[in-house]
Amino acid sequence: MRTEQKQIEIIANQNFLVDFEKFYNKSPKIIFHFLMWFVFSVLLYLNYYWELKLPVFDSLILTIRNAVNNMVVFYAFFYLLVPKILLLNRKVSVVLLILSIPVLIYIWVTVNHFIFKIYYHLGYEINFPVYKDIIKRNGSRSLMEAINVKAVVANSVLVIFSMLPFFFVKILLEIIKIYNRTTELQQQKLEVEIQNINIEKDFLKSQLNPHFLFNTLNNLYGLSVKKDDLAPEVILNLSDIMSYTLYESNSEKVPLEKEIDFIKNYFELEKMRYPKDKNIQLKISGEDEIPGLYIAPLMTFTFIENAFKYGLRSYQNQFIKQEIEIKNGIFHFVLENDIDQAEIKKGFGGIGLENIKKRLQLLYPNQHILSIQTLENSFRIELKINL
């Protein structure tokens, strides 16, 4: 229950961030920038007026000075320096971003000096103790005196703390943008993976129909000619297989009993191609636990098809052994078949096996264990899925 609530909260937060970014991108940026500077300027003004007890005019000119300083540094950094720096490689970008900090402090101090110069020539002055004669002291100095190392270092803490709120807002917006882009890319990747799965299922169905159907119809024809009593059962098995591959496999998940029935029918029809003394075994245990469990359709078909395609070919011990156990919601699939040494050298089932791995990773992340082993004289596959 808690996990579901957390998932709902995560989805809600993601939707909020996506909606906010859409609103931010569709609205004129100048409105948001104006609101940001207006809010911080009002707060700064109230600090001068209420906390430091400065008159209205003195509070206003100091607020304007601070706002202009911050605006110049903010736009110089994020809209002039950063776009050019980020075009370089990562290491150089990091170094330049670090080196830009003292440059920004110098810019802030320089702009601050010229604003005090303007106030000084306009005859403004502050006579309250905290900032008494601050305009005369700064406005009467030369630029070189204002930006000497001692003055810059002395003002660095003031500049950093003054710029922090604006940098925080901008970086927060960029993080939201990057987060949404990452989420969007993950969603696109997921959609592509789902499309690939659907394509793969269609491929499996088309692969099954001509290849498997041809052999089965030949066997069925032979039984019909001999008027064998097995013919109706073969027709029924074939009908169930065709129905499953054409209709049931379009679902994301199917009842496990239908997948098991498909495997049984497929084994029975494939066994018809071989003499009765061939060692072809299918063992299923735990069928009483099957009801209520679901699995992705045709998940094991490639394994089984490869077993009949490449197995029963060795010169000595020819066999196909299939074991399926369902216990405590775990689907345990073990399939082993003999292999010809020549087939080992050529390699087999590569693309199909890779597709199965991708499907398992997407549909059962952290809920499956797949082991594929090429032994000395056999090929063994073991799959566990937590359903």
Side-chain angles (χ1 to χ4, degrees), residues 25-26 35 37 60 70 179 216 234 312-313 315 343 363:
N25 289 330
K26 289 181 180 179
L35 288 174
W37 295 115
L60 181 62
N70 293 339
Y179 175 80
T216 304
V234 171
L312 305 174
R313 291 189 178 188
Y315 294 106
E343 295 293 343
L363 297 175

Side-chain angles (χ1 to χ4, degrees), residues 255-272:
L256 179 58
E257 54 192 327
K258 291 189 175 182
E259 181 79 4
I260 296 295
D261 288 340
F262 167 79
I263 293 173
K264 289 179 180 178
N265 291 332
Y266 188 83
F267 257 83
E268 289 301 317
L269 293 178
E270 281 284 12
K271 285 171 67 175
M272 291 176 58

Side-chain angles (χ1 to χ4, degrees), residues 297-361:
L298 300 175
M299 183 58 75
T300 59
F301 172 66
T302 297
F303 300 146
I304 299 171
E305 187 193 41
N306 282 344
F308 282 100
K309 184 177 180 181
Y310 298 105
L312 305 174
R313 291 189 178 188
S314 64
Y315 294 106
Q316 298 179 351
N317 185 22
Q318 298 182 352
F319 71 93
I320 294 178
K321 294 181 180 179
Q322 166 78 77
E323 294 184 10
I324 296 176
E325 181 186 25
I326 295 89
K327 187 175 181 180
N328 298 325
I330 303 295
F331 175 77
H332 188 190
F333 175 97
V334 180
L335 178 60
E336 187 172 359
N337 60 273
D338 66 294
I339 49 175
D340 187 5
Q341 292 298 323
E343 295 293 343
I344 295 178
K345 294 177 182 179
K346 288 193 298 182
F348 50 90
I351 296 176
L353 295 181
E354 287 303 316
N355 286 339
I356 289 294
K357 290 178 182 179
K358 290 178 182 177
R359 288 186 67 195
L360 286 168
Q361 289 172 0

Side-chain angles (χ1 to χ4, degrees), residues 85 88-98:
I85 290 174
L88 306 173
N89 67 63
R90 185 177 299 178
K91 291 183 179 180
V92 175
S93 297
V94 172
V95 173
L96 290 179
L97 285 173
I98 294 172

Side-chain angles (χ1 to χ4, degrees), residues 2-20:
R2 290 181 178 177
T3 303
E4 292 179 356
Q5 289 178 346
K6 287 182 179 179
Q7 291 176 342
I8 293 172
E9 290 176 1
I10 291 172
I11 293 172
N13 291 334
Q14 289 177 342
N15 292 336
F16 170 76
L17 293 176
V18 171
D19 292 340
F20 174 79

Side-chain angles (χ1 to χ4, degrees), residues 17-278:
L17 293 176
V18 171
D19 292 340
F20 174 79
E21 191 196 359
K22 287 181 179 178
F23 173 72
Y24 176 75
N25 289 330
K26 289 181 180 179
S27 304
K29 300 293 189 300
I30 191 172
I31 295 176
F32 288 95
H33 285 251
F34 173 79
L35 288 174
M36 178 180 70
W37 295 115
F38 178 77
V39 169
F40 282 105
S41 295
V42 168
L43 293 176
L44 184 59
Y45 173 83
L46 294 177
N47 179 68
Y48 287 134
Y49 184 67
W50 285 346
E51 181 66 23
L52 301 177
K53 309 298 183 183
L54 296 178
V56 172
F57 183 77
D58 293 351
S59 300
L60 181 62
I61 61 174
L62 289 177
T63 300
I64 292 174
R65 173 201 62 120
N66 209 308
V68 172
N69 292 344
N70 293 339
M71 289 171 70
V72 171
V73 172
F74 178 85
Y75 291 110
F77 180 71
F78 284 108
Y79 292 89
L80 292 179
L81 291 177
V82 170
K84 294 180 180 179
I85 290 174
L86 294 181
L87 294 176
L88 306 173
N89 67 63
R90 185 177 299 178
K91 291 183 179 180
V92 175
S93 297
V94 172
V95 173
L96 290 179
L97 285 173
I98 294 172
L99 293 177
S100 66
I101 295 175
V103 174
L104 295 177
I105 295 174
Y106 267 98
I107 293 174
W108 194 96
V109 173
T110 301
V111 175
N112 183 66
H113 169 72
F114 282 114
I115 292 175
F116 275 127
K117 275 281 188 185
I118 294 171
Y119 287 171
Y120 180 68
H121 287 293
L122 290 175
Y124 299 155
E125 189 54 85
I126 296 175
N127 296 313
F128 277 74
V130 179
Y131 291 101
K132 186 173 177 59
D133 298 329
I134 188 174
I135 295 177
K136 180 180 178 181
R137 291 198 309 271
N138 288 276
S140 60
R141 292 190 298 177
S142 66
L143 177 60
M144 296 308 297
E145 290 176 322
I147 63 171
N148 64 61
V149 175
K150 184 178 178 181
V152 170
V153 172
N155 285 281
S156 59
V157 174
L158 173 63
V159 175
I160 291 171
F161 277 98
S162 180
M163 293 302 305
L164 275 179
F166 310 103
F167 275 58
F168 173 79
V169 171
K170 178 63 177 177
I171 292 171
L172 180 62
L173 290 174
E174 292 300 321
I175 290 174
I176 292 174
K177 186 186 295 184
I178 293 171
Y179 175 80
N180 287 337
R181 292 292 177 274
T182 303
T183 304
E184 185 179 345
L185 289 174
Q186 289 176 342
Q187 183 65 30
Q188 291 175 354
K189 182 180 178 181
L190 180 61
E191 291 174 357
V192 170
E193 292 287 352
I194 292 173
Q195 289 176 359
N196 289 339
I197 285 178
N198 292 331
I199 291 171
E200 182 189 350
K201 286 197 298 184
D202 293 338
F203 170 73
L204 288 173
K205 288 188 289 183
S206 66
Q207 186 183 35
L208 174 67
N209 294 337
H211 172 76
F212 174 74
L213 187 59
F214 177 77
N215 292 324
T216 304
L217 289 176
N218 277 339
N219 291 326
L220 182 59
Y221 174 75
L223 292 173
S224 299
V225 170
K226 293 187 295 183
K227 296 183 179 181
D228 196 309
D229 292 338
L230 289 174
E233 184 179 347
V234 171
I235 293 173
L236 183 61
N237 286 348
L238 181 60
S239 174
D240 289 341
I241 284 179
M242 297 303 295
S243 174
Y244 186 78
T245 57
L246 290 174
Y247 303 111
E248 299 293 342
S249 62
N250 290 324
S251 304
E252 183 180 347
K253 297 284 181 70
V254 296
L256 179 58
E257 54 192 327
K258 291 189 175 182
E259 181 79 4
I260 296 295
D261 288 340
F262 167 79
I263 293 173
K264 289 179 180 178
N265 291 332
Y266 188 83
F267 257 83
E268 289 301 317
L269 293 178
E270 281 284 12
K271 285 171 67 175
M272 291 176 58
R273 297 167 48 198
Y274 302 94
K276 292 185 178 180
D277 61 346
K278 284 288 184 181

